[in-house]
Amino acid sequence: MKRGIAILLSLTALITVGYFTVSKWAIRHETLTFNDPARSNRPVAVDIAVRRDKELQANAGMITLPVAILNHGNTVKFTEYSFLANLFAARGYIAISIQHDLPTDPPMVTKVGELYVGRQPQYLRGVANIMFATEEMKKVQPNADYDHLTVVGHSAGADISMYFAKLHPELTKKVVTLDNLRVPFITDGRFKILSFRSKDPVFKTDPGVIPPEAVREKSGIEVVQTGFQHNDMRDTGPEAAKASIQGMLDKFIDDDSPLRPVETKAIPELTDPGPVTPFVPDASTPEANKRTSSMLSATMAAPR
């Protein structure tokens, strides 16, 4: 029996590993470009990552896909976070990576003393891109939940993610940041936050961005201090950094994933004692036990 259980557990582990391996190859990527007429037809490119089988089920109206919005760092392309997009897609999400910067945009300039060191215009532009892209995606994939977004970002994209949650908490379900340096964490507890922090001599978090530990515990904020540098948190980073982030992120989104593990229970035949409750004599009441034993003997001897 023990050997059978061990074999079953081994097979389950192999199936799990195989599942994620196959899922990676079953993910479809597509790049689309939308033009926003409200902003002089500004092009907003998105890269879509979705599992083919889940997309087919959504197209058939069988399921509604959860949505993850990925936001890139300053001067980094929207396609450079596939290690995050593929994880969300493997978990049953439709992952939408948005290109926020254009070559014609003015460079991001730090202005000490101004709100978010002068970078609020870029964050507002990012928020506008998210709102526009999700509206356009409703036409492309209507069977997805655009009202409860998981917003994810790195560096400036992490600040955009946090700023989006600040302006649109009604659309935000979870926030994942990889080194947001300027925009403070939201502490009202309306949604969970997971944040990976770098150990970098150049990229420093502004004072007041990360709340004290007591506030984080009360607000549902989990901060992970990594030993990686700021620019390790994208596709060009070392495999160890990406694997570590993927592992923590997978646990964070597990509760909401349609592919979360199913709790298994023993089959009834192994646990059901049958229609008759086992009789256990009670030494404290010998007379009652004697009467009960007589009744059981009579019942068993009666014709059926």
Side-chain angles (χ1 to χ4, degrees):
M1 181 69 177
K2 291 182 178 179
R3 184 182 178 185
I5 294 174
I7 294 173
L8 178 61
L9 292 174
S10 299
L11 288 173
T12 302
L14 288 173
I15 291 170
T16 301
V17 173
Y19 162 75
F20 281 107
T21 302
V22 173
S23 295
K24 181 178 179 180
W25 296 110
I27 294 169
R28 182 180 73 84
H29 282 263
E30 180 182 8
T31 299
L32 301 173
T33 300
F34 308 118
N35 293 284
D36 187 356
R39 294 183 291 168
S40 302
N41 282 329
R42 178 185 177 89
V44 179
V46 300
D47 181 78
I48 304 166
V50 62
R51 265 183 52 175
R52 297 178 187 275
D53 58 337
K54 294 300 172 184
E55 183 179 34
L56 287 173
Q57 293 176 29
N59 290 341
M62 299 170 60
I63 62 172
T64 300
L65 297 169
V67 178
I69 302 293
L70 276 63
N71 304 291
H72 62 84
N74 184 38
T75 72
V76 181
K77 291 184 178 180
F78 67 129
T79 53
E80 292 189 41
Y81 297 89
S82 63
F83 82 103
L84 296 176
N86 287 337
L87 173 64
F88 277 102
R91 273 296 192 176
Y93 285 68
I94 180 170
I96 305 170
S97 303
I98 302 175
Q99 179 64 45
H100 292 295
D101 304 334
L102 298 177
T104 54
D105 291 335
M108 185 179 289
V109 179
T110 299
K111 298 178 182 178
V112 179
E114 293 191 12
L115 185 63
Y116 311 127
V117 294
R119 298 185 176 185
Q120 187 182 32
Q122 282 79 14
Y123 302 157
L124 287 170
R125 182 180 67 204
V127 171
N129 288 339
I130 295 173
M131 296 297 290
F132 174 68
T134 53
E135 285 300 316
E136 292 300 306
M137 281 300 303
K138 290 177 183 178
K139 306 171 187 175
V140 177
Q141 178 49 271
N143 295 318
D145 187 0
Y146 301 100
D147 294 327
H148 303 89
L149 304 174
T150 296
V151 284
V152 188
H154 171 232
S155 192
D159 285 314
I160 290 173
S161 300
M162 195 66 73
Y163 201 59
F164 176 87
K166 177 182 176 67
L167 297 183
H168 296 286
E170 77 284 357
L171 298 177
T172 305
K173 185 171 186 178
K174 289 187 176 182
V175 180
V176 180
T177 70
L178 290 76
D179 250 11
N180 55 303
L181 304 178
R182 314 294 182 184
V183 180
F185 284 71
I186 299 167
T187 59
D188 59 13
R190 295 184 63 176
F191 37 77
K192 292 183 178 180
I193 299 175
L194 172 65
S195 182
F196 297 93
R197 315 308 303 177
S198 71
K199 186 178 180 181
D200 198 298
V202 177
F203 295 89
K204 299 292 185 179
T205 306
D206 288 349
V209 169
I210 304 177
E213 184 176 358
V215 176
R216 299 199 302 263
E217 290 181 359
K218 184 178 179 180
S219 304
I221 299 172
E222 184 175 359
V223 172
V224 180
Q225 299 291 347
T226 75
F228 308 118
Q229 294 190 353
H230 182 80
N231 287 325
D232 289 343
M233 299 178 174
R234 61 184 201 230
D235 284 351
T236 55
E239 292 301 321
K242 291 183 288 186
S244 177
I245 292 170
Q246 284 177 319
M248 289 293 297
L249 180 57
D250 189 52
K251 294 178 182 178
F252 182 69
I253 65 176
D254 185 63
D255 291 342
D256 300 322
S257 171
L259 304 176
R260 63 186 180 276
V262 177
E263 182 181 355
T264 57
K265 297 181 180 179
I267 58 176
E269 289 78 5
L270 297 180
T271 58
D272 190 356
V276 179
T277 302
F279 172 69
V280 180
D282 186 353
S284 63
T285 56
E287 291 299 321
N289 291 338
K290 187 175 181 179
R291 288 195 299 271
T292 305
S293 298
S294 299
M295 292 173 63
L296 286 174
S297 299
T299 301
M300 296 176 64
R304 299 184 180 182

Short mmCIF file of all heavy atoms in Angstrom, two decimals, residues 87 194 196 222-224 242-254:
data_model
loop_
_atom_site.label_atom_id
_atom_site.label_comp_id
_atom_site.label_asym_id
_atom_site.label_seq_id
_atom_site.Cartn_x
_atom_site.Cartn_y
_atom_site.Cartn_z
N LEU A 87 4.55 33.05 -17.39
CA LEU A 87 4.08 32.48 -16.13
C LEU A 87 2.58 32.74 -15.95
O LEU A 87 1.82 31.82 -15.61
CB LEU A 87 4.85 33.07 -14.96
CG LEU A 87 4.34 32.68 -13.57
CD1 LEU A 87 4.47 31.17 -13.34
CD2 LEU A 87 5.06 33.43 -12.47
N LEU A 194 2.45 42.43 -3.87
CA LEU A 194 3.72 41.70 -3.76
C LEU A 194 4.79 42.55 -4.43
O LEU A 194 4.62 43.00 -5.56
CB LEU A 194 3.62 40.34 -4.46
CG LEU A 194 4.92 39.55 -4.60
CD1 LEU A 194 5.46 39.14 -3.23
CD2 LEU A 194 4.71 38.32 -5.48
N PHE A 196 9.04 42.90 -5.18
CA PHE A 196 10.41 42.41 -5.16
C PHE A 196 11.35 43.62 -5.13
O PHE A 196 11.22 44.54 -5.95
CB PHE A 196 10.70 41.56 -6.40
CG PHE A 196 9.87 40.32 -6.50
CD1 PHE A 196 8.67 40.32 -7.20
CD2 PHE A 196 10.27 39.15 -5.88
CE1 PHE A 196 7.90 39.18 -7.29
CE2 PHE A 196 9.50 38.00 -5.96
CZ PHE A 196 8.31 38.02 -6.67
N GLU A 222 3.32 42.22 0.83
CA GLU A 222 4.47 41.33 1.02
C GLU A 222 5.66 41.89 0.26
O GLU A 222 5.60 42.08 -0.95
CB GLU A 222 4.15 39.92 0.54
CG GLU A 222 5.26 38.92 0.79
CD GLU A 222 4.89 37.50 0.41
OE1 GLU A 222 3.73 37.30 -0.03
OE2 GLU A 222 5.73 36.60 0.57
N VAL A 223 6.74 42.15 0.98
CA VAL A 223 7.96 42.69 0.39
C VAL A 223 9.04 41.62 0.43
O VAL A 223 9.31 41.04 1.49
CB VAL A 223 8.43 43.96 1.14
CG1 VAL A 223 9.80 44.40 0.63
CG2 VAL A 223 7.42 45.08 0.96
N VAL A 224 9.64 41.34 -0.73
CA VAL A 224 10.69 40.33 -0.84
C VAL A 224 12.00 41.02 -1.14
O VAL A 224 12.17 41.62 -2.21
CB VAL A 224 10.36 39.31 -1.96
CG1 VAL A 224 11.47 38.27 -2.07
CG2 VAL A 224 9.01 38.66 -1.71
N LYS A 242 15.39 35.30 -12.41
CA LYS A 242 14.07 35.09 -13.01
C LYS A 242 13.35 33.89 -12.37
O LYS A 242 12.15 33.96 -12.10
CB LYS A 242 14.22 34.90 -14.52
CG LYS A 242 14.65 36.16 -15.25
CD LYS A 242 14.72 35.97 -16.75
CE LYS A 242 15.91 35.12 -17.15
NZ LYS A 242 16.07 35.04 -18.62
N ALA A 243 14.10 32.82 -12.11
CA ALA A 243 13.48 31.64 -11.50
C ALA A 243 12.99 31.95 -10.09
O ALA A 243 11.92 31.49 -9.68
CB ALA A 243 14.48 30.49 -11.48
N SER A 244 13.77 32.74 -9.35
CA SER A 244 13.36 33.11 -7.99
C SER A 244 12.09 33.94 -7.99
O SER A 244 11.17 33.71 -7.21
CB SER A 244 14.50 33.88 -7.31
OG SER A 244 14.12 34.32 -6.02
N ILE A 245 12.04 34.91 -8.89
CA ILE A 245 10.85 35.76 -9.00
C ILE A 245 9.64 34.95 -9.45
O ILE A 245 8.54 35.10 -8.90
CB ILE A 245 11.13 36.93 -9.98
CG1 ILE A 245 12.16 37.88 -9.37
CG2 ILE A 245 9.84 37.68 -10.31
CD1 ILE A 245 12.68 38.93 -10.34
N GLN A 246 9.84 34.07 -10.41
CA GLN A 246 8.74 33.24 -10.88
C GLN A 246 8.17 32.36 -9.77
O GLN A 246 6.96 32.20 -9.65
CB GLN A 246 9.21 32.36 -12.04
CG GLN A 246 9.36 33.10 -13.36
CD GLN A 246 9.91 32.19 -14.45
OE1 GLN A 246 10.80 31.38 -14.21
NE2 GLN A 246 9.37 32.32 -15.65
N GLY A 247 9.06 31.80 -8.94
CA GLY A 247 8.60 30.93 -7.87
C GLY A 247 7.72 31.65 -6.87
O GLY A 247 6.65 31.17 -6.49
N MET A 248 8.15 32.84 -6.44
CA MET A 248 7.37 33.62 -5.49
C MET A 248 6.07 34.12 -6.12
O MET A 248 5.01 34.10 -5.49
CB MET A 248 8.18 34.81 -4.99
CG MET A 248 9.31 34.44 -4.05
SD MET A 248 8.72 33.79 -2.46
CE MET A 248 7.84 35.22 -1.83
N LEU A 249 6.15 34.54 -7.36
CA LEU A 249 4.97 35.06 -8.06
C LEU A 249 3.94 33.97 -8.28
O LEU A 249 2.73 34.20 -8.15
CB LEU A 249 5.39 35.69 -9.38
CG LEU A 249 4.28 36.29 -10.25
CD1 LEU A 249 3.51 37.35 -9.48
CD2 LEU A 249 4.88 36.89 -11.52
N ASP A 250 4.39 32.77 -8.58
CA ASP A 250 3.48 31.65 -8.80
C ASP A 250 2.65 31.37 -7.55
O ASP A 250 1.45 31.10 -7.63
CB ASP A 250 4.27 30.41 -9.21
CG ASP A 250 3.37 29.28 -9.67
OD1 ASP A 250 2.53 29.52 -10.56
OD2 ASP A 250 3.49 28.17 -9.14
N LYS A 251 3.28 31.45 -6.39
CA LYS A 251 2.55 31.25 -5.13
C LYS A 251 1.57 32.39 -4.89
O LYS A 251 0.47 32.18 -4.38
CB LYS A 251 3.54 31.16 -3.97
CG LYS A 251 4.45 29.94 -4.01
CD LYS A 251 5.43 29.96 -2.85
CE LYS A 251 6.38 28.77 -2.91
NZ LYS A 251 7.39 28.81 -1.81
N PHE A 252 1.97 33.60 -5.26
CA PHE A 252 1.13 34.78 -5.01
C PHE A 252 -0.17 34.73 -5.81
O PHE A 252 -1.22 35.11 -5.31
CB PHE A 252 1.93 36.03 -5.37
CG PHE A 252 1.20 37.33 -5.12
CD1 PHE A 252 0.94 37.75 -3.83
CD2 PHE A 252 0.80 38.14 -6.17
CE1 PHE A 252 0.29 38.95 -3.58
CE2 PHE A 252 0.15 39.35 -5.94
CZ PHE A 252 -0.11 39.75 -4.64
N ILE A 253 -0.09 34.25 -7.05
CA ILE A 253 -1.28 34.23 -7.90
C ILE A 253 -2.02 32.90 -7.82
O ILE A 253 -3.09 32.75 -8.43
CB ILE A 253 -0.94 34.52 -9.38
CG1 ILE A 253 -0.06 33.41 -9.97
CG2 ILE A 253 -0.27 35.87 -9.50
CD1 ILE A 253 0.24 33.59 -11.45
N ASP A 254 -1.51 31.95 -7.05
CA ASP A 254 -2.08 30.60 -7.03
C ASP A 254 -3.54 30.59 -6.61
O ASP A 254 -4.35 29.85 -7.17
CB ASP A 254 -1.26 29.71 -6.10
CG ASP A 254 -1.73 28.27 -6.13
OD1 ASP A 254 -1.64 27.65 -7.19
OD2 ASP A 254 -2.21 27.78 -5.10
#
